[in-house]
Amino acid sequence: QVQLVESGGGLVQAGGSLRLSCAASGSIFVISGMGWYRQAPGKQRELVASITPGGNTNYGDSVKGRFTISRDNAKNTVYLQMNSLKPDDTGVYYCNAEVVATSTPRLRNYWGQGTQVTVSS
């Protein structure tokens, strides 16, 4: 069993900051890519940011220059620092990880339960 647990969501005013964390636990052999996605009501889920084990990053166009993704491989944890938040950043943020579990040699995507981020104007 592999679980991803997010934390750090909440309500902030426009221009404020939040830091999200996601810790993977369970029968993990190795974790490859990790990332954050978000979904607003009535919209498709979209990539926010992703990061490789070596630290290479990708960002969605709407968050470039404002958000920073990082990871601690020893802790199996990925972070998302969100600055200069806008009302359009509001949504449910989901953690994602590509994991090889000890029970199988196959890479699989795992998802957290989601954490709500609300930015007021």
Side-chain angles (χ1 to χ4, degrees), residues 2-6 21-24 31-38 45-51 69 71 76-79 93-99 108-114:
V2 176
Q3 299 86 35
L4 273 60
V5 179
E6 302 109 329
S21 299
C22 173
I31 300 178
S32 186
M34 303 185 81
W36 292 92
Y37 294 75
R38 69 186 182 189
R45 184 182 65 183
E46 65 175 345
L47 172 71
V48 177
S50 63
I51 186 168
I69 189 170
R71 65 190 287 170
N76 291 332
T77 299
V78 63
Y79 307 94
Y93 283 67
Y94 296 93
C95 176
N96 168 263
E98 297 173 317
V99 179
R108 288 186 57 191
N109 268 293
Y110 290 84
W111 295 89
Q113 81 286 352

Side-chain angles (χ1 to χ4, degrees), residues 3 11 14 18 39 46 49-50 58 61 66 68 74 82 89 92 94 105 118:
Q3 299 86 35
L11 172 65
L18 283 174
Q39 187 167 19
E46 65 175 345
S50 63
N58 287 317
D61 289 340
R66 300 187 297 120
T68 302
M82 304 186 293
D89 295 318
V92 179
Y94 296 93
T118 303

